[in-house]
Amino acid sequence: MKTAATQPSQGQFSFANADQYRGEIHAWDVVHEAFADGGSGGRRDSNLQRTGDDGIEAAFRTARAADASAKLCSNDYNTEDWPAAKTQGVHRMVQDFKSRGVPIDRVGFQPHFGSGGQPDSFQATLTNFAALGVDVRLTELDIAQACWTPSTRHGHVVAGRYTEFGFQATGSGTPMVAGCG
């Protein structure tokens, strides 16, 4: 969404159309992929995020005002490894927001696992975020080398990895994910 549509003037967010969805949407992805990869643990360089957490905070407060019943979510990728700077940066933001009453209800994870599977610290990551009082969800899951056909042994292994994380299988036993078209 264009900055002018959501923030016509500094610190004044407008989601005029949100009222039409009040009570109809279970969860809002308020902040999506806000943090930078690499060792800084900071936010991506964008005009909406250069000021730190205040713009993100304003977005969450505005979303809560627009719909008090919706779950409000921050969602990012490459945050599955607990000691990683990006994971720690997101965790610090959520911890800060929860301590100050900023309305954040859920953290979404978009893991991109290599062929070796998830990092050893993945469960710790989920546990540590949940301990902050937010729901945790896998909102996307990519597994490297997941090109497969259901009839191959490798296909069954990959299908098993997806279903292990709760992604539903179709009637044929294959996960509801796209292959490598």
Side-chain angles (χ1 to χ4, degrees), residues 1-16 47-48 51 54-63 65:
M1 187 174 288
K2 299 286 185 190
T3 304
T6 58
Q7 189 181 14
S9 54
Q10 182 74 26
Q12 300 297 314
F13 289 86
S14 172
F15 295 95
N47 59 339
L48 291 176
T51 60
D54 57 343
I56 295 172
E57 178 178 339
F60 275 100
R61 291 191 186 279
T62 302

Side-chain angles (χ1 to χ4, degrees), residues 7-89:
Q7 189 181 14
S9 54
Q10 182 74 26
Q12 300 297 314
F13 289 86
S14 172
F15 295 95
N17 294 333
D19 285 344
Q20 69 185 350
Y21 300 107
R22 183 173 291 160
E24 301 293 323
I25 305 294
H26 172 73
W28 288 99
D29 190 357
V30 177
V31 174
H32 187 76
E33 299 180 357
F35 282 76
D37 287 327
S40 75
R43 277 155 298 291
R44 286 181 162 188
D45 184 24
S46 81
N47 59 339
L48 291 176
Q49 298 175 52
R50 286 188 187 120
T51 60
D53 289 341
D54 57 343
I56 295 172
E57 178 178 339
F60 275 100
R61 291 191 186 279
T62 302
R64 177 64 79 224
D67 191 343
S69 64
K71 295 279 190 178
L72 306 182
C73 183
S74 175
N75 192 17
D76 220 316
Y77 67 96
N78 288 343
T79 54
E80 58 270 5
D81 190 13
W82 177 244
K86 183 174 184 177
T87 306
Q88 293 300 308

